[in-house]
Amino acid sequence: FGDCEPRYPSGDASSVVEAPGEFGSDPRIDFPTPIIAHTTQMSEILAGDGERLQAGQPVRAEVSILNGANGDELQATAHDGQGVITMVGESSLPTVGRALECVTVGSRIAVATSAQDGHNSEPIPDFNVAANDSYIFVIDVLQAFLAKADGAAQLAKAGDPSVVLAPDGTPGITVPREQAPEDLVVSLLKKGDGREVEQGSLAVVQYTGVLWDNKEVFDSSWANGAAAVFPMVEGQVIKGFAQSLIGQKVGSQVLVTVPPELGYGEQGSGAVPANATLVFVVDILGIIDQG
């Protein structure tokens, strides 16, 4: 791992997991049962030659989860090349996220968790998981994305909402007291030089959305703790969102003001009332490889 120190060491529990088979395909996982891991461990089954992962990055991965007590598969992705998006470091699957730190893209790893780290030492009768059972994760790291927009800073435009960034890239947005603009307004806060977002792209982004009228946040991937994936197809995302991102490049941070007719219109949606003007700050972190 070079100078990068993995969060979890390799150990007797993780090192006995075998998972032959083509990278990205459904692995043939085998290990002697029961595996009882008192601490969480991580071992490389296949070392990739891609970039080394750092905390805060979204990654696309194929994941299998098994019961260490009996080898039963509890859950798995389809292993069809699509995978799922998870975060390196702290995430909705914290043990997986921490285990990914310092791993290279293209790697297959085995993670053996303690019962506490895997499921808080709570029995899960529906899956035949006992309180002291360990979990086994086998993870193929397919693709990694930026942790935050890293493009060159651009000059702010007069009349735009103001944006300040926390160290992790989370934006704070201050909306002017003026009347909302009637048209779509797109401003680059950071200009990236990566791949271009095209019609039909699957864009990996972090975003915060604010209502112009009451200045309140109505949605935020940063607050939700995970990057989002949006297809750049009108009808699958609001028109203003797609129009503002198509043609931009990975690494860019985009400030967008969306009028109601390009947003949720007269119907509104969830926390968005009818006829609301929306303000988004969007970090374009990557584009999912398709096919």
Side-chain angles (χ1 to χ4, degrees):
F1 291 95
D3 295 331
C4 194
E5 189 67 29
R7 185 76 71 96
Y8 301 121
S10 181
D12 293 341
S14 61
S15 62
V16 298
V17 178
E18 296 181 353
E22 184 179 354
F23 175 79
S25 65
D26 196 359
R28 300 186 298 276
I29 302 170
D30 186 46
F31 50 85
T33 56
I35 284 182
I36 302 173
H38 299 291
T39 59
T40 295
Q41 306 165 13
M42 185 277 289
S43 297
E44 275 188 334
I45 297 172
L46 174 66
D49 58 3
E51 67 175 283
R52 199 167 292 282
L53 303 177
Q54 303 292 327
Q57 284 187 271
V59 298
R60 185 166 61 91
E62 299 283 11
V63 183
S64 297
I65 310 173
L66 297 89
N67 189 334
N70 52 31
D72 289 349
E73 184 177 88
L74 303 174
Q75 195 171 5
T77 56
H79 291 89
D80 58 0
Q82 297 302 309
V84 294
I85 299 293
T86 189
M87 304 296 289
V88 180
E90 302 305 316
S91 69
S92 57
L93 289 173
T95 304
V96 170
R98 295 168 192 151
L100 288 170
E101 291 185 31
C102 299
V103 170
T104 52
V105 175
S107 294
R108 172 174 290 171
I109 64 171
V111 183
T113 76
S114 65
Q116 178 62 38
D117 286 350
H119 49 91
N120 295 317
S121 299
E122 295 180 359
I124 309 175
D126 289 348
F127 288 92
N128 196 29
V129 174
N132 61 348
D133 288 350
S134 296
Y135 278 172
I136 304 299
F137 292 85
V138 174
I139 305 165
D140 285 4
V141 184
L142 305 178
Q143 192 179 1
F145 309 98
L146 297 174
K148 58 184 178 181
D150 63 355
Q154 305 295 294
L155 293 174
K157 293 181 181 178
D160 274 353
S162 62
V163 179
V164 295
L165 302 178
D168 67 352
T170 304
I173 304 170
T174 302
V175 178
R177 295 182 179 276
E178 287 82 1
Q179 185 174 350
E182 295 181 358
D183 299 320
L184 180 71
V185 180
V186 181
S187 301
L188 268 182
L189 303 181
K190 295 182 181 181
K191 186 176 182 180
D193 59 3
R195 292 169 59 183
E196 184 174 309
V197 178
E198 300 176 346
Q199 177 81 22
S201 293
L202 288 174
V204 180
V205 304
Q206 292 271 34
Y207 69 93
T208 290
V210 173
L211 299 172
W212 184 286
D213 286 344
N214 66 13
K215 325 302 183 190
E216 292 183 358
V217 174
F218 66 88
D219 194 12
S220 173
S221 64
W222 275 286
N224 295 337
V229 178
F230 290 120
M232 291 296 102
V233 178
E234 292 183 13
Q236 297 193 49
V237 293
I238 59 172
K239 291 181 179 179
F241 200 87
Q243 290 177 15
S244 62
L245 296 191
I246 292 171
Q248 307 290 358
K249 291 186 176 182
V250 171
S252 296
Q253 184 176 74
V254 187
L255 171 65
V256 188
T257 302
V258 180
E261 62 270 18
L262 297 180
Y264 293 101
E266 297 179 354
Q267 291 75 35
S269 176
V272 178
N275 298 311
T277 296
L278 314 175
V279 179
F280 290 98
V281 171
V282 185
D283 278 17
I284 306 174
L285 305 180
I287 297 169
I288 288 181
D289 295 330
Q290 300 182 63

